[in-house]
Amino acid sequence: MRRAGLILAAAAMAATSAPACAASGQTSTALGQAQAMIIAPIIAVSLNDLDFGSLTSSQTASGSVTVGPEGGATYTGGASPACAGGVCTGVAPARFLVSGEAGRSYTVSAPAAITASGTLIGGGSAPALSIDDLTVHLQSHAGSVTSVGQLDDKGEDRIGVGGRLNVPAGTAPAHYRATLTIMVTYS
Amino acid sequence: MVILHRVRTTCPHRTIRWMAAAVLGAGLACGASPALAAAPSVTVSADQALRFGSFFTDTTGTRTVSATGSVSGSAIVPLTGAAPGPAQFTFTYDRGNNANVAYSLLISVLVPGTASQVSGGVTGSIARFDTDLPGVSTLVPGQSQQITLTGCQRRTCSRTFRVGGTLQVARTSGGASLAIPVPIVVTVLAEL
């Protein structure tokens, strides 16, 4: 009995003495990390305006001039260029420089049509002219017309916007101006 | 000492057996026998980073990724990219012996210092973290929190826990790829 009692005493010591031997103060450090990608804002800056140049209109026939998003102009109906040799050097699509995070895709939105208000050469307001068929071309999608582009390694892309100016018959000589607003957002 | 005193009164054969019992008992209790036990140790590993993902902010904004993985933000525009998610750490305690005795651990968890980074025109800082550790919803840098881990039974006791946080971003120009160090210090205060 004494021997059994002593064995039990030893076992009891083993079972109950753990707290006294606990490893307090043992420390370990892990170096974690928090990651985030803060994207630079995307902006579009106007490089030049959509310019239909100087043109003449017929007293009897309506016409139009169309400027392509990559340049070039075509005249129809009673509208014709009013430039020497029929070539108007000022005619150009609107161009925008887009800047943002390199390699990131973006979406451009533009109106389908806008209205140009006019000021008569002799003073006073002229009837408004419509500009429609606005077409957007992104350099990052050469040869195609799409609303989604991708910024290059420098974080840049270029946008061209063309359109068609409709000239009613008998339009009086005037200066016309319209505001074309585009919006670019990361996609 | 009591045991040794008693064995002196017994025969040599008995003495050997009693001493064996005593040594075994001590080994189970304190890890004093090199053949059976080692010094307790604790390790923490960083398994996964706290990922806030990609987003845009004009000047200032915040994004929160919780320990459970929920994501919210203020004055930011989330963008496509790596998916946000909480950090993951694994804590492992080796008690140093194979005693089959249930135990708990009282530990403290600390994120020392401040968690911030300046990169170009972007400043990111994490003022507080949250965890899924039992009883610790918030971890403020520089302030330790005590947790009792229960249910330990074997020689090693391991817990994997997740850490979320709120990233505050101030931007004056450009963008940045932030990689903010987040050290986690775990100290075993007691084995209960």
Side-chain angles (χ1 to χ4, degrees):
Chain A
M1 285 297 292
R2 181 195 297 174
R3 194 169 80 184
L6 290 173
I7 291 175
L8 287 174
M13 185 173 70
T16 59
S17 60
C21 300
S24 61
Q26 291 278 342
T27 294
S28 179
T29 301
L31 185 58
Q33 193 178 70
Q35 303 168 344
M37 180 68 78
I38 314 303
I39 305 301
I42 186 170
I43 57 174
V45 176
S46 174
L47 299 179
N48 62 263
D49 296 333
L50 170 58
D51 193 341
F52 292 97
S54 299
L55 58 124
T56 61
S57 65
S58 167
Q59 289 294 325
T60 58
S62 297
S64 68
V65 54
T66 300
V67 175
E70 298 179 81
T74 57
Y75 299 83
T76 63
S80 58
C83 309
V87 178
C88 298
T89 55
V91 176
R95 295 190 191 279
F96 298 89
L97 173 65
V98 184
S99 301
E101 191 78 12
R104 194 161 278 277
S105 62
Y106 70 97
T107 300
V108 57
S109 57
I114 55 178
T115 299
S117 57
T119 302
L120 295 169
I121 299 297
S125 62
L129 298 182
S130 70
I131 300 172
D132 58 12
D133 200 20
L134 288 168
T135 304
V136 176
H137 174 260
L138 309 182
Q139 187 181 61
S140 58
H141 286 276
S144 63
V145 177
T146 176
S147 61
V148 178
Q150 185 166 25
L151 301 175
D152 62 16
D153 292 343
K154 295 180 180 178
E156 293 180 348
D157 195 16
R158 283 171 169 75
I159 298 173
V161 180
R164 179 177 63 190
L165 174 66
N166 297 293
V167 184
T171 297
H175 293 292
Y176 288 89
R177 178 174 292 275
T179 299
L180 170 61
T181 302
I182 66 168
M183 181 182 296
V184 289
T185 55
Y186 286 119
S187 56
Chain B
M1 292 301 291
V2 173
I3 294 172
L4 293 177
H5 175 72
R6 288 188 176 183
V7 298
R8 287 195 194 108
T9 63
T10 61
C11 67
H13 176 70
R14 282 181 136 187
T15 301
I16 292 172
R17 294 178 64 179
W18 287 125
M19 288 182 69
V23 168
L24 175 62
L28 289 173
C30 301
S33 171
L36 296 175
S41 62
V42 57
T43 58
V44 183
S45 62
D47 306 326
Q48 200 161 33
L50 172 54
R51 293 144 288 144
F52 288 100
S54 300
F55 58 89
F56 160 78
T57 184
D58 188 22
T59 53
T60 60
T62 63
R63 192 171 216 196
T64 298
V65 177
S66 75
T68 58
S70 64
V71 181
S72 59
S74 173
I76 66 158
V77 178
L79 298 171
T80 56
Q88 181 174 299
F89 296 87
T90 298
F91 161 84
T92 302
Y93 175 72
D94 185 341
R95 72 186 310 189
N97 63 69
N98 293 313
N100 186 23
V101 178
Y103 62 102
S104 299
L105 292 173
L106 178 62
I107 66 171
S108 74
V109 179
L110 169 69
V111 178
T114 58
S116 63
Q117 182 186 3
V118 178
S119 178
V122 176
T123 300
S125 60
I126 305 172
R128 69 176 53 229
F129 298 88
D130 72 296
T131 80
D132 60 358
L133 282 166
V136 180
S137 59
T138 301
L139 273 178
V140 177
Q143 298 179 18
S144 64
Q145 292 279 354
Q146 291 189 9
I147 307 118
T148 300
L149 300 180
T150 59
C152 299
Q153 179 76 30
R154 298 182 177 180
R155 173 170 175 160
T156 59
C157 184
S158 182
R159 290 286 190 283
T160 294
F161 59 97
R162 291 160 192 80
V163 176
T166 297
L167 175 66
Q168 297 176 313
V169 174
R171 195 190 67 82
T172 57
S173 64
S177 178
L178 299 179
I180 303 172
V182 181
I184 294 279
V185 180
V186 178
T187 301
V188 176
L189 301 175
E191 181 183 319
L192 308 173

